[in-house]
Amino acid sequence: GGKGIAPEEPPKPGEPQRVCMRSDGRKKIHTTFPDGGEMVEEYDEKTDVLLVRKVRKQTTVGKEGDWVYEVGQATEAAFDPYSDTLRASSSNPIFLRKDTPEHFQWRIRNLPYPADVYSVSVDHEKQEIVVRTSNKKYYKRIQVPDLPRYDLKFQDELLSWKHQHSTLIISYRKPPKILAGEQDALRDAEKSAVKM
C-alpha cells in the first residue's frame, strides 16, 4: 500500500527531502524543505566536518531568494593570501564561521586589541552570542540558526573563546542533539547518494 492518498499530497508531508552527491572529496547534501526553502551542506568526505552550509528561502512564486552562507563562505571569496592582502583593508575585521566536528566555531580576524578588552557572552533573550570590546572598537551579534532548528536554547557553559594572532576564536560546543542530527542527515543522504 499507501496508494490511496489524494494526488496533491506530497510523499511524507513535512519531511525535508535530501539528496547527496559526492565531488571534489566532499559530500554535498541538498535539502529541500516542505515550505520550498533549500539548504546545501558540504562535508569533508574523510572527517565529516561541515565545511559549508548555505540556505535559501523560498520567496514569492517563481522567484528564489539569495543563498545565505551560515558556514564557510562563497568560494569566490575564498581566502587567497596574495590577493586578499591587497583587496581587503588590513584593518577591517573579517568574520567567518568554520565549524569543527565538536564545535560551532567563528573566527574574527584583524582584531589586534589585547585579549582583556573582549567580552563574549550569550544574550539569552535574543538567543545570540554578543561580542563586544571595552574600547568600543568592535561589536557583533552572532546567530546560530542550528539551535532553533533543533528547538535548543543557548547554554552558557558550552561557550568558550580565545584571542591569538589578532584573531578572536569563539567556540560553542555542539549539543548531543545536534551531533546526532548531523550524523542522521549524513546517513540519510548517503542512502540517496548520487555518484558524480
Side-chain angles (χ1 to χ4, degrees):
K3 289 273 183 290
I5 51 169
E8 66 269 14
E9 273 194 43
K12 286 203 292 186
E15 287 283 308
Q17 304 294 316
R18 291 195 179 98
V19 179
C20 181
M21 289 167 292
R22 290 179 174 206
S23 63
D24 313 327
R26 294 182 173 198
K27 291 179 204 163
K28 300 183 182 182
I29 301 179
H30 185 254
T31 306
T32 309
F33 296 99
D35 64 2
E38 296 172 87
M39 179 164 78
V40 172
E41 295 167 301
E42 297 185 15
Y43 290 86
D44 182 293
E45 199 159 20
K46 293 189 183 65
T47 62
D48 280 351
V49 172
L50 179 63
L51 302 170
V52 171
R53 178 194 291 136
K54 56 186 183 176
V55 290
R56 181 160 70 176
K57 299 225 181 333
Q58 190 61 34
T59 51
T60 49
V61 179
K63 221 172 95 79
E64 289 174 324
D66 290 333
W67 286 107
V68 176
Y69 279 79
E70 288 183 8
V71 179
Q73 54 191 160
T75 37
E76 305 81 79
F79 183 71
D80 172 350
Y82 299 105
S83 66
D84 273 56
T85 43
L86 304 171
R87 193 178 67 212
S89 152
S90 58
S91 60
N92 283 349
I94 298 168
F95 176 81
L96 175 69
R97 174 168 158 186
K98 199 169 181 349
D99 290 359
T100 71
E102 287 84 37
H103 292 86
F104 301 126
Q105 197 170 79
W106 301 266
R107 290 166 183 266
I108 310 173
R109 298 197 189 106
N110 291 339
L111 287 180
Y113 322 111
D116 58 10
V117 309
Y118 302 99
S119 136
V120 179
S121 60
V122 172
D123 177 339
H124 287 281
E125 195 187 331
K126 293 196 170 148
Q127 286 296 306
E128 292 173 335
I129 296 172
V130 181
V131 183
R132 49 167 71 92
T133 56
S134 57
N135 62 8
K136 304 278 193 285
K137 298 279 192 207
Y138 188 79
Y139 180 82
K140 174 116 186 131
R141 286 180 165 271
I142 303 171
Q143 292 173 325
V144 187
D146 310 69
L147 293 176
R149 272 191 199 122
Y150 286 92
D151 294 321
L152 294 171
K153 300 261 186 265
F154 275 112
Q155 294 168 266
D156 290 316
E157 64 273 16
L158 299 181
L159 180 68
S160 60
W161 63 276
K162 61 184 179 196
H163 183 264
Q164 60 186 49
H165 312 306
S166 297
T167 300
L168 186 65
I169 301 170
I170 301 163
S171 301
Y172 188 82
R173 200 162 64 234
K174 294 178 184 173
K177 197 171 174 186
I178 285 183
L179 290 171
E182 288 184 352
Q183 287 309 308
D184 283 351
L186 278 167
R187 267 200 307 276
D188 214 27
E190 291 280 313
K191 287 183 206 146
S192 65
V194 179
K195 293 279 183 287
M196 297 288 277

